[in-house]
Amino acid sequence: MRDFSEPPIYDDLIETDRVHRTLYTDEAIFREEMNRIYGGTWTYLAHESELPKANDFVRRTLGLRPIIVSRDRDGKVHGLLNRCPHRGATVCRDDAGSTRRFTCPYHNWSFTNSGDLVGVPIEEGYGPNFDKSRLGLGKIRVEVYRGFIFGTLNHELPDLETHLGTAARRLDEWMDRWPGGKISVRNGQHRLMCNGNWKLVSDNSHDGYHPGYSHASLLRMRKDRYGGGVDMQWVLGNVDDGLQRLYDLGNGNTFLDQRPEIERYWYQSAPMPGEDSYAATLRERLGERAEPALDVVMGSGMNLNIFPNLLIIGNQLQVIQPRTVDSTDLIWYSTSIEADDLPPEVNALRMRLQEDFPSFGEPDDLANFEECQAGLSIPEMEWVVTSRHMDTGTEYVDGNGDLAGLPTDELGIRAFWKEWLIRMNATTKLEAK
Amino acid sequence: MKDLNDYFDPGFTVDDILGDSKTSTYVNDAYYALLRADMAEWSGIGTPLTEAERQAHEALILHENWLLDRRNFEQWYQLYTRECSYWIPAAHDLPGNPQFDPQSHVTIAFDDRRRMGDRIVWLRTGVAYSQLPPSYTLHMSTGFVRVPTGRPNEVKIRSQFLLQEMRSSNPVQTLSGWMGHVFKQEDGRWKIDRKLVSLLDGQRGHHNLTYLI
């Protein structure tokens, strides 16, 4: 067994075909991750539609750091560390709202919504050399890609779109299912708590191997009640003989594409309340034009994973929010599509559909993650296998130049650890400025 | 009220649910409008139940609790009308909070009769790992009041609840809040037509909410 009385050398924990269990269980590693991974690379913070107007804000975290994502009076988006420069109290204590000033409740220092210190009670007490311009809220480097707000404390990273690379193109495909439509993230969310390390969640999101087994309950319920052909039946049997593919998009981003298995979205969708009533309404009103509208009810058939915390699954944004080394919050933000030519019934159906997987799919995964966490506590069993399809000769480079493989390939997990190691070993100073 | 035994077909099993309500035909704009109207009515001033109301309605809610705590989902299903709903908003501070509207917001659970059936079939597959081992629950309801409604032939009963859940390897969890039950006569019996569960912390995260509330 390895001796970890010394600080761990991360390279020793990640081998080409396996990774060490302590990556999931060690508290010191977790604390470093929260600083180096979250904030050391472009990290998803919020969606622009959550703060639609000037002066709107939402409260979030970057790793474990409390932060604010705000719009200033001109509508520009800012990422601010939620920490008064004076004595450390958080200055924003609401989950969301609209304000021109954040005022610290402790001594009433007040800040603009772009982070500048503008008010200090009885200021003369700090003497003549007091410089308010040096005491603003810590500022996160923020960029927006088509509504998705990312932030980092790494000032050496390239711009967001360059960093996303082909992941940005896949994000385009996800957003452009209804041409001209805008994605809105203002329709509530599921918040699921899991007593497991956050990386168990991301491992699973590029794992095309587990669905036929971990989701046996969902698949069996559907088949027993509705017969074949409904949602996700393509994950049964040897999925490597099927049409799904998995891609390494670079910088830790990955993509499990289920779309080639979908012939007609509406007919292969999971069941949802209102399905028959609204389909009848739309077909009566729109005739054949109802069909493409019904198709965008169904999930996208995409698992697009943006390192380290954004997993776009179906129609939802699943955000990973680590709490401790062995507990994680998963927030499944539901989405709707805003478009003048999209019938509103589609979004009512999308709400019901987006309750399906958090009810009948995700809970079984979370139960399995928690049992992984329990098993990984055993010191004598040191390693986790990540070698699937590494040397079966099935990987290839696709037309975009991305490494691709069969759906059960563990290339997504290997891509994740490659990026993880780069970020953990990076010597770049992370700064709020 | 009718003897509670009258509610249950003793031969009714999960196999009967497999073939029941396989389409979803009544959730539409009008149904969502009805739920919004319900929400407004739930804020009404309640009156403690008469003895007759206790026999007809409180007894049914208490028995519903008992069935859920015994995981007798097949009998639970028979307490509901043919066009029923079981709804747990992912929002708190109801009925005042506008985030409740299920037409525009996802919920913790929004089940029409078909999805209630799906949920029971899913629990009975024997491979729903989130319920292997199962959750054992204890429902406690109190504070029953009848709330005025403008809808003829319906009775609205509001109550407060505490729920404890225990699952192997996990600590006991407590949920609380209020419930709204709308009763309607069907086949000569009062049945539950719409059930609303308003959790104290509906907007927050929960651990493995796969048991029935």
Side-chain angles (χ1 to χ4, degrees):
Chain A
M1 243 188 301
R2 274 146 207 265
D3 174 15
F4 291 122
S5 49
E6 295 294 310
I9 298 164
Y10 301 123
D11 301 73
D12 292 347
L13 305 179
I14 298 168
E15 300 185 357
T16 52
D17 58 350
R18 60 183 194 172
V19 298
H20 200 265
R21 69 167 193 93
T22 50
L23 295 165
Y24 297 88
T25 61
D26 186 279
E27 288 188 19
I29 293 177
F30 176 78
R31 282 195 299 275
E32 283 297 302
E33 282 179 328
M34 290 303 99
N35 295 335
R36 289 169 175 266
I37 303 282
Y38 284 74
T41 187
W42 286 111
T43 308
Y44 178 71
L45 304 180
H47 192 270
E48 274 196 315
S49 61
E50 297 177 89
L51 44 160
K53 301 184 304 293
N55 302 317
D56 284 351
F57 70 89
V58 293
R59 187 169 63 144
R60 292 289 144 89
T61 54
L62 175 60
L64 301 182
R65 304 168 188 93
I67 68 161
I68 308 162
V69 182
S70 64
R71 279 191 199 272
D72 64 24
R73 56 198 286 188
D74 301 320
K76 185 169 182 282
V77 175
H78 299 269
L80 307 169
L81 297 178
N82 188 5
R83 188 268 195 215
C84 186
H86 176 215
R87 296 268 281 275
T90 59
V91 300
C92 171
R93 300 174 188 186
D94 293 321
D95 288 335
S98 193
T99 186
R100 290 182 189 176
R101 297 266 186 280
F102 295 105
T103 300
C104 178
Y106 194 10
H107 301 90
N108 280 16
W109 283 31
S110 66
F111 306 85
T112 65
N113 50 22
S114 55
D116 297 332
L117 176 61
V118 288
V120 174
I122 330 175
E123 187 181 329
E124 59 275 20
Y126 282 105
N129 298 323
F130 185 65
D131 182 0
K132 286 212 293 289
S133 72
R134 296 176 58 193
L135 288 167
L137 297 175
K139 289 179 186 171
I140 300 164
R141 181 183 169 200
V142 163
E143 286 186 28
V144 183
Y145 181 72
R146 294 189 61 190
F148 288 78
I149 305 168
F150 289 77
T152 183
L153 299 166
N154 181 342
H155 296 267
E156 292 173 10
L157 282 178
D159 68 87
L160 176 62
E161 193 171 349
T162 303
H163 173 86
L164 289 173
T166 51
R169 302 290 77 77
R170 299 303 193 173
L171 201 51
D172 293 340
E173 292 168 20
W174 182 79
M175 282 189 271
D176 295 336
R177 286 177 70 201
W178 186 263
K182 281 187 78 172
I183 297 293
S184 175
V185 189
R186 295 168 60 75
N187 303 92
Q189 60 267 308
H190 292 99
R191 295 176 182 269
L192 309 176
M193 296 160 72
C194 177
N195 294 322
N197 184 267
W198 67 277
K199 298 184 293 298
L200 294 165
V201 182
S202 55
D203 287 350
N204 188 70
S205 191
H206 34 223
D207 174 0
Y209 190 18
H210 80 283
Y213 315 105
S214 189
H215 299 306
S217 64
L218 178 149
L219 294 164
R220 198 172 295 179
M221 176 266 278
R222 294 260 211 277
K223 197 150 191 256
D224 288 353
R225 259 203 120 187
Y226 304 102
V230 206
D231 183 51
M232 280 183 66
Q233 298 294 329
W234 56 81
V235 304
L236 289 167
N238 184 352
V239 289
D240 284 343
D241 288 341
L243 303 172
Q244 299 179 81
R245 290 294 176 269
L246 181 65
Y247 302 90
D248 172 356
L249 307 179
N251 292 330
N253 305 324
T254 63
F255 175 39
L256 176 61
D257 193 1
Q258 304 165 56
R259 294 174 300 179
E261 294 282 3
I262 302 171
E263 287 168 21
R264 175 68 210 278
Y265 275 82
W266 177 245
Y267 291 126
Q268 284 170 272
S269 177
M272 79 215 76
E275 182 175 345
D276 301 283
S277 34
Y278 275 130
T281 305
L282 288 176
R283 284 172 171 152
E284 194 180 335
R285 194 169 78 225
L286 301 172
E288 282 183 6
R289 285 185 301 126
E291 304 305 322
L294 289 168
D295 282 342
V296 295
V297 171
M298 187 190 168
S300 59
M302 303 173 75
N303 277 30
L304 175 59
N305 311 304
I306 313 284
F307 185 96
N309 67 332
L310 174 63
L311 313 173
I312 293 173
I313 299 182
N315 287 335
Q316 281 143 306
L317 312 182
Q318 187 184 174
V319 176
I320 299 175
Q321 195 174 300
R323 294 172 73 89
T324 66
V325 68
D326 56 6
S327 72
T328 306
D329 283 350
L330 281 182
I331 309 171
W332 287 63
Y333 291 93
S334 64
T335 67
S336 57
I337 302 175
E338 288 178 0
D340 291 340
D341 56 349
L342 186 74
E345 291 86 350
V346 165
N347 284 324
L349 286 169
R350 280 172 70 104
M351 293 306 107
R352 297 293 77 80
L353 183 75
Q354 291 177 92
E355 290 155 352
D356 178 77
F357 202 74
S359 300
F360 303 119
E362 190 68 13
D364 288 342
D365 278 340
L366 299 188
N368 281 325
F369 303 162
E370 294 186 351
E371 298 304 321
C372 288
Q373 194 71 33
L376 289 166
S377 70
I378 301 169
E380 293 78 14
M381 295 283 286
E382 293 187 71
W383 298 95
V384 174
V385 176
T386 63
S387 64
R388 199 173 161 82
H389 281 310
M390 219 174 78
D391 45 23
T392 58
T394 52
E395 294 183 348
Y396 61 98
V397 175
D398 76 350
N400 299 321
D402 291 326
L403 183 66
L406 298 174
T408 75
D409 199 319
E410 280 160 351
L411 74 83
I413 294 179
R414 294 191 292 272
F416 177 96
W417 286 112
K418 200 170 115 191
E419 178 68 10
W420 186 94
L421 198 56
I422 291 169
R423 295 300 153 205
M424 290 294 276
N425 284 335
T427 53
T428 316
K429 191 166 172 358
L430 302 182
E431 290 178 286
K433 59 183 183 186
Chain B
M1 78 179 287
K2 297 259 184 185
D3 189 318
L4 264 170
N5 283 315
D6 292 350
Y7 281 80
F8 309 119
D9 171 353
F12 188 87
T13 69
V14 70
D15 288 336
D16 296 296
I17 296 177
L18 282 180
D20 185 42
S21 297
K22 288 170 72 164
T23 54
S24 178
T25 54
Y26 58 88
V27 175
N28 54 22
D29 285 358
Y31 196 79
Y32 287 124
L34 168 64
L35 295 180
R36 286 188 290 270
D38 276 349
M39 191 61 89
E41 288 192 341
W42 286 125
S43 60
I45 296 172
T47 36
L49 304 189
T50 64
E51 187 54 31
E53 288 164 344
R54 292 191 67 197
Q55 292 296 327
H57 308 304
E58 182 180 325
L60 206 65
I61 294 171
L62 294 175
H63 195 64
E64 178 186 35
N65 287 348
W66 178 258
L67 291 174
L68 290 176
D69 290 348
R70 306 278 86 66
R71 299 168 310 291
N72 190 340
F73 310 124
E74 291 78 6
Q75 288 201 355
W76 174 70
Y77 185 76
Q78 295 175 68
L79 296 177
Y80 282 75
T81 63
R82 281 183 289 277
E83 296 199 345
C84 60
S85 58
Y86 163 77
W87 170 31
I88 310 172
H92 74 130
D93 197 23
L94 301 175
N97 184 345
Q99 304 285 311
F100 81 85
D101 187 350
Q103 196 167 359
S104 55
H105 289 79
V106 289
T107 68
I108 292 171
F110 189 99
D111 294 9
D112 60 354
R113 188 172 180 84
R114 178 172 75 168
R115 192 181 262 175
M116 272 173 63
D118 284 352
R119 209 175 278 280
I120 294 168
V121 172
W122 177 77
L123 286 163
R124 293 296 191 219
T125 57
V127 285
Y129 301 111
S130 50
Q131 279 297 313
L132 284 176
S135 294
Y136 296 84
T137 59
L138 182 138
H139 284 71
M140 197 179 320
S141 295
T142 185
F144 294 93
V145 289
R146 181 166 178 169
V147 173
T149 174
R151 288 175 63 83
N153 309 319
E154 290 189 353
V155 171
K156 273 192 160 79
I157 305 289
R158 203 175 61 204
S159 58
Q160 315 280 114
F161 75 94
L162 273 176
L163 167 60
Q164 293 205 297
E165 181 253 4
M166 177 198 69
R167 188 169 171 260
S168 178
S169 307
N170 288 278
V172 172
Q173 304 193 93
T174 302
L175 293 176
S176 65
W178 62 270
M179 290 187 190
H181 284 81
V182 182
F183 290 92
K184 223 175 175 169
Q185 290 265 358
E186 191 179 88
D187 305 330
R189 304 180 183 98
W190 284 108
K191 289 194 172 182
I192 303 166
D193 191 62
R194 307 187 290 283
K195 173 174 172 176
L196 164 67
V197 179
S198 170
L199 294 170
L200 175 72
D201 57 354
Q203 89 287 17
R204 284 198 180 176
H206 296 93
H207 184 254
N208 196 3
L209 251 188
T210 48
Y211 48 93
L212 292 168
I213 305 174

